[in-house]
Amino acid sequence: MKKKINYNLLVGGILAGGMLLFILIGCFVLPYDPEAMNDGLRFARISPAHPFGCDNFGRDIFTRVMVGARTTLVVALGTVAIGAGAGTLIGSVTGYFGGWLDEVVMRVNDALFAFPSILMALVVVSLLGSGKYHVILALGIAFIPSFARVVRSQYLKLKEMDYVKNARVFGCGHLRIMFVHILPNTLGVMVPTVMIGFNNAVLAEAGMSYLGIGVQPPDASLGRMLSEAQTYLFKQPMYAVFPGLAIIILVLGFSLLADGLGEK
Amino acid sequence: MLEIRDLNIEFHDHSVPETVVYDFDLSMEEGDIVGIVGESGSGKTMSALALCGLLARHDMEKKGKILFEGKELLTCSRQEMRALQGKEISIIFQEPMTSLNPVKKIGWQVEEALRLHTDLSKEECYERAIWALREAELAEPEKVYGQYPHELSGGMRQRVMIAAAIVCKPKILVADEPTTALDVTIQAQIIKLLLKLNEEQKTAILFISHDLSLVRRLCRRVVVMQNGYIVEQGDVEAIFRSPREEYTKRLIASIPSCDRGKQEKDLDGALEVFRAEDIAAGYRASDGLFGKGVEKEVLKGISFSLKKGEILGLVGESGCGKSTLAKIIVGLKGDYRGRLTGAGKVRMVFQDPYGSLNPAKSVGWLLEEPLRLQGGLSKAERHRMVLEMLKKVGLEESIAERYPRQLSGGQRQRVCIGLALMSRPEVLVADEAVSALDVTIQAQILRLLAQLRDEMGLAILFISHDLRVVYQICDRVMIMQDGEIVEEGTPRKVYFEHSHPYTAQLLEASGVFG
Amino acid sequence: MKYVGKKALTMLLTLLLVSFLVFLCFTVIPGDPAVAKLGTEASPEALETLREEMGLNRPFMVRYTDWLLSFVRGDLGESYSYESSVGELLVDKVPITITMSLMSMLMIVAVSIPLGLYVAHHEGGVVDRVIYAVNQVIMAIPAFFAGILITLLFGIVLKLFVPGGYVSYSKDFGAFLAYMVFPSMAIALPKIAMTVKLLRSGMIEEKKQDYVRTAYSRGNNTKGVLYKHVLKNAMLPIITFLGMTFTDIIAGSIVVEQVFGIPGIGRILLTSISRRDYPVVMAVIVCLAAVVIVVSALVDLLYQWLDPRIRLEDKA
């Protein structure tokens, strides 16, 4: 049988894998100190020594993209962990049991869902202050409703399946049904959802840091680099290109992966 | 009028072309009724779709000749084909629920063929649509005209499909399993309607079905297909009386017969293992946000008992409450009135073997689960018991490593039965457990159930809509209508000496006695 | 009619819930607003007087009801940092955000629907594949980076507008609209890509349905099947999606305002957050949430009205 190549999976894997490798290498080796300023190198052009050039303080952009991408990855992973974890818990309980609990929780969930997630994160940050961990918490909370919705709809559908009824007939407890019998069957939907959630988290973190209310110095962040780059757009347009490209490649990689997984 | 010669259909979506229909031949005259019979994968639907010009995929190759009134349909242009579709050649499908566009009105859909093929004015179109709806025996054609598909019952939708198909008075009507999704009484009405159309309009009908006995009631000629080949074709009665080919013989043999001389088992001395007394249940039809809700009765005081080794048949049409009763017996529905005795040892086999096995787990894991819940057994013991059970239900040991999606429908249903028997129940509820299977597989599963009953002394509540199957396998039969049991007794008594008019109606509709 | 009533009721309940949650968060978490206003060095007496003055010593529910009632009457409270009422502060910013949102919505609908239909019709063709690839890339671009790229391309390279040269709508409405095209484009771009993708996959999914086969069997050509049968079915989920997109547009406008130097709602929200000016933050958030909730309720009603299957439930 001729196997069709899943281009989405292939290209997505290469992009996402490449980005992750890039970030991983950056955890161990960095070409320069990301904070080292050098007046002589202000707006240095692209050269073998500085493949992405230098910024307004003469810092090496390649190094800073490496570090910034790492921050972005950490924030996005933390966000998805909180959002998907709490979302799965809420969604599975409400979807499986239904009734008034479901009614109440879903009403609150809908109310929260009405908030654009960045707006919700703004609320949390304005109350708790900015910084890496607050951003994770803020975005994590903001992402719970959307995950809860997806998981709940899966449970609503799957609990009506005959195999779940069958498990109940031979005396399986509710918790075991929920997490041993049903949960593995949500994976097909959850994996792409988590990937898309990850992407949204990357985009949201970048947006918040761009606005100056996200990750704070000394943590490098792609969003804040872009906000600085915008000021010097006339002088050094390439400064904006590389951090932006890093975000795009990361997001593109995971969205292609999510699509590719859905194709099967 | 229609001449199909050496039709071959090949798929090219894999590197090795796969042929689904080989050398198909068929000729039809005006007013003919021809049946095509076969199990799933026999190529019967493919041949019909090719005739209707509905197999226009790029990865598919059709060879041979289809001549309709002298016109070659396989080589003519798409445009010429479209001019015939819906005008000279019409088709109705198996699923009346999904075959109509859900967001368009019935009238619009019935008139569509007229808009495409004629220059009739709006008023004339309306007249013709109403005529077609009336011809399809819909009670209030003017009302139905303005309704949407979801407002109609399954039987009415199939009538609408027929109305839309005959609105241009086609020469051929292809009916692809048009009654499979419907209840027996509705099925009988649709068959009658098709016969009437054939007689009055002289429409030739090509009837595709898996149900040999249904074909016998409707058609004059039959084509038997298997794995893409025509096995046998000719006069229906002749084939029934003296089938030439092995496959046809097997097909006819797997139709359960309602033979008056059926052996009846003596269960007088057997132990009673299950008893239901005065079971009643209903559900609340909610009436908006603040509405109190109306209690709708589904079961109205059902009582029966089961003895060790007995198979009790429960027959009824959809909506009669038989599935609700099954749910109550196995403990899936808690809000009912009445008393159950012996309900602790009841397990269930569901209709759909695809939905009743968890796709995320291996067969071995699934079969072990009841033992795991029961506790007190080592891993090795559990594994041994799983292998024993697989053998018992006629499966190989290697099946334990596989996942449900890797099994055939028959294998899955065997696994389901094994799963139900793992915790050594005394009573088994089989809810339409063989209805989704092909006839030959169905016969095998029925044999397995009877054999397990003998070996393990199981009592089985066999729920079905199929009167033949019930007659063959059951020791006692209950007929259910609107939440009540209207007739009960041995199969012989119920089938041949019934007292209730509904029983008579069911038996008549299902054509059990020819 | 009953359905509309029920919908309106849930909408009101949701609005109340949101306002309550916001009030709760902003009263409990940040600490004492009197301290925030006077600073930590203020004397305890002065603080106590101010608390009394601001009504902070009353029970929580009374304060909430009070705040809500005055909010409904149009009194959004007093800003801590600007010497003016929140209402005055916001009133001239609202048209900016509305213009931007409507413009982007218009772009999304006008571009994505014809494009989505085209690619669905020509599934598997060259155009389809190119648009698929472009879509994927566009969806990966954060809105503010799209803004920067648009500034780079249209502002610096093509010189179609002056970056940062925002003109107030009260001064020159035409110039204002001309400038707003670019930020709206930045918001709309990723949404267009998503809508096209969704419409395409929706149409292709619908094409597999049984009723499509029925439509072909009556002699329809592909065009007839797509536009007379499939389109309406495929458009229904798009309507819901566009309703949800409205939320994202509003969120996007906050960020994109910053890129293009537009003094709209987003700007004032961000300044207020950094200055911990909670009455302003609260007012903006409740207003934005209200808009989102009302819009999504309206979209829901539109959906009910278009889908005959749901209309029936209303009758039953």
Side-chain angles (χ1 to χ4, degrees), chain A residues 79-237:
Chain A
T79 302
V80 170
I82 294 176
T88 302
L89 211 63
I90 294 171
S92 56
V93 171
T94 55
Y96 182 76
F97 289 108
W100 64 267
L101 178 81
D102 177 45
E103 206 44 55
V104 171
V105 174
M106 274 346 240
R107 229 5 69 238
V108 176
N109 205 48
D110 279 353
L112 294 179
F113 196 71
F115 277 72
S117 56
I118 194 158
L119 201 60
M120 196 130 112
L122 286 180
V123 172
V124 178
V125 167
S126 79
L127 293 169
L128 301 178
S130 47
K132 189 154 91 183
Y133 297 103
H134 287 157
V135 172
I136 294 179
L137 188 68
L139 286 176
I141 293 172
F143 276 41
I144 294 173
S146 58
F147 279 111
R149 272 193 162 194
V150 174
V151 176
R152 175 175 175 269
S153 71
Q154 280 291 301
Y155 269 76
L156 275 181
K157 194 180 92 188
L158 293 175
K159 76 171 176 186
E160 296 301 329
M161 297 299 290
D162 282 343
Y163 63 80
V164 172
K165 289 183 191 158
N166 211 0
R168 274 176 61 197
V169 171
F170 52 73
C172 202
H174 287 306
L175 277 180
R176 191 171 169 86
I177 291 183
M178 280 168 72
F179 296 110
V180 179
H181 289 258
I182 299 183
L183 194 62
N185 286 296
T186 64
L187 274 184
V189 173
M190 277 310 278
V191 170
T193 308
V194 164
M195 285 183 171
I196 290 161
F198 173 86
N199 280 348
N200 288 335
V202 169
L203 295 175
E205 184 277 327
M208 286 176 73
S209 299
Y210 171 80
L211 294 176
I213 50 167
V215 175
Q216 298 297 320
D219 287 327
S221 146
L222 297 175
R224 226 182 48 253
M225 288 175 75
L226 281 169
S227 136
E228 282 163 21
Q230 201 196 348
T231 325
Y232 305 103
L233 211 51
F234 286 101
K235 234 177 175 154
Q236 168 65 301

Side-chain angles (χ1 to χ4, degrees), chain C:
Chain C
M1 227 28 233
K2 199 154 133 200
Y3 191 88
V4 177
K6 194 175 156 187
K7 206 80 221 165
L9 198 74
T10 18
M11 187 187 83
L12 276 179
L13 279 175
T14 315
L15 277 172
L16 242 125
L17 190 67
V18 167
S19 71
F20 183 77
L21 287 176
V22 169
F23 189 79
L24 184 74
C25 288
F26 281 89
T27 332
V28 174
I29 300 172
D32 196 339
V35 179
K37 202 165 186 182
L38 295 179
T40 35
E41 274 100 66
S43 68
E45 293 79 27
L47 283 174
E48 190 52 43
T49 332
L50 186 65
R51 275 192 205 117
E52 199 60 50
E53 213 175 278
M54 292 170 83
L56 295 175
N57 290 338
R58 294 172 304 150
F60 176 78
M61 281 317 287
V62 175
R63 276 157 59 206
Y64 169 66
T65 330
D66 236 37
W67 171 78
L68 188 68
L69 286 178
S70 46
F71 205 98
V72 173
R73 267 190 244 111
D75 172 13
L76 308 186
E78 290 290 319
S79 156
Y80 294 165
S81 59
Y82 301 92
E83 290 297 319
S84 81
S85 81
V86 178
E88 271 170 47
L89 217 52
L90 296 183
V91 72
D92 60 328
K93 313 279 190 286
V94 172
I96 301 172
T97 306
I98 289 181
T99 311
M100 201 151 63
S101 305
L102 288 183
M103 258 181 151
S104 356
M105 199 62 179
L106 204 70
M107 286 181 194
I108 294 171
V109 174
V111 178
S112 62
I113 290 178
L115 202 57
L117 291 179
Y118 182 84
V119 291
H121 193 156
H122 300 89
E123 183 195 346
V126 179
V127 181
D128 180 30
R129 274 184 242 171
V130 169
I131 287 185
Y132 178 80
V134 172
N135 262 345
Q136 289 290 0
V137 175
I138 288 178
M139 278 189 285
I141 303 177
F144 67 91
F145 190 59
I148 293 177
L149 291 177
I150 285 172
T151 310
L152 202 62
L153 179 65
F154 293 101
I156 296 175
V157 179
L158 298 175
K159 304 208 185 306
L160 288 180
F161 75 105
V162 185
Y166 168 75
V167 187
S168 166
Y169 59 92
S170 50
K171 221 189 263 163
D172 181 350
F173 194 69
F176 165 73
L177 279 186
Y179 188 81
M180 293 308 265
V181 167
F182 300 97
S184 306
M185 199 194 291
I187 299 173
L189 217 50
K191 298 293 150 198
I192 289 174
M194 276 181 213
T195 318
V196 169
K197 193 178 167 188
L198 199 72
L199 184 55
R200 177 186 179 275
S201 62
M203 293 278 278
I204 289 169
E205 204 42 54
E206 285 293 329
K207 273 191 322 206
K208 293 181 195 149
Q209 301 296 316
D210 286 350
Y211 71 82
V212 171
R213 198 172 53 173
T214 312
Y216 275 116
S217 81
R218 291 189 194 133
N220 271 300
N221 55 17
T222 311
K223 219 167 150 186
V225 170
L226 277 185
Y227 295 106
K228 281 192 247 156
H229 287 267
V230 174
L231 182 59
K232 196 175 171 192
N233 284 289
M235 275 310 283
L236 287 170
I238 296 292
I239 287 167
T240 313
F241 176 75
L242 286 177
M244 271 157 51
T245 299
F246 195 78
T247 315
D248 294 339
I249 291 178
I250 289 193
S253 75
I254 295 172
V255 186
V256 170
E257 272 180 19
Q258 211 62 15
V259 182
F260 289 87
I262 296 163
I265 298 276
R267 165 78 60 90
I268 198 142
L269 178 65
L270 289 170
T271 338
S272 307
I273 285 175
S274 59
R275 291 187 191 171
R276 308 201 161 240
D277 193 345
Y278 293 124
V280 182
V281 179
M282 263 162 86
V284 171
I285 284 173
V286 171
C287 288
L288 289 184
V291 171
V292 168
I293 291 169
V294 171
V295 167
S296 72
L298 288 177
V299 169
D300 243 27
L301 283 181
L302 180 68
Y303 189 98
Q304 316 295 339
W305 181 67
L306 285 173
D307 191 341
R309 280 163 294 189
I310 301 178
R311 252 183 285 161
L312 179 83
E313 279 164 33
D314 196 11
K315 279 180 231 152

Side-chain angles (χ1 to χ4, degrees), chain A residues 1-2 161-163 165-173 176 180-182 184-185, chain B residues 14-15 330 332 346-348 350 355-361 365 369 372-373 419:
Chain A
M1 215 174 90
K2 190 172 66 184
M161 297 299 290
D162 282 343
Y163 63 80
K165 289 183 191 158
N166 211 0
R168 274 176 61 197
V169 171
F170 52 73
C172 202
R176 191 171 169 86
V180 179
H181 289 258
I182 299 183
N185 286 296
Chain B
H14 304 303
S15 57
V330 298
L332 284 173
V346 182
R347 293 294 176 263
M348 183 154 171
F350 294 82
S356 48
L357 292 176
N358 194 333
K361 307 286 184 189
W365 191 96
E369 180 71 353
R372 231 178 270 128
L373 293 169
L419 179 56

Side-chain angles (χ1 to χ4, degrees), chain B residues 426-439:
Chain B
E426 288 170 339
V427 179
L428 190 67
V429 176
D431 187 3
E432 302 274 6
V434 296
S435 309
L437 304 172
D438 273 329
V439 270

Side-chain angles (χ1 to χ4, degrees), chain B residues 93 98-99 101 104 112 117, chain C residues 210 214 218 220 229 233:
Chain B
F93 299 102
T98 52
S99 294
N101 191 334
K104 298 285 188 182
E112 182 164 38
H117 300 295
Chain C
D210 286 350
T214 312
R218 291 189 194 133
N220 271 300
H229 287 267
N233 284 289

Side-chain angles (χ1 to χ4, degrees), chain B residues 269-319:
Chain B
L271 192 73
E272 183 180 297
V273 287
F274 180 85
R275 172 179 284 277
E277 283 163 285
D278 226 8
I279 302 295
Y283 67 90
R284 236 166 232 297
S286 145
D287 185 26
L289 191 57
F290 303 106
K292 283 227 179 86
V294 206
E295 173 87 12
K296 247 195 106 175
E297 285 232 295
V298 184
L299 295 175
K300 304 164 186 163
I302 306 272
S303 301
F304 67 93
S305 66
L306 269 169
K307 287 179 177 163
K308 200 173 163 70
E310 181 183 35
I311 302 184
L312 172 61
L314 178 61
V315 181
E317 294 186 285
S318 50

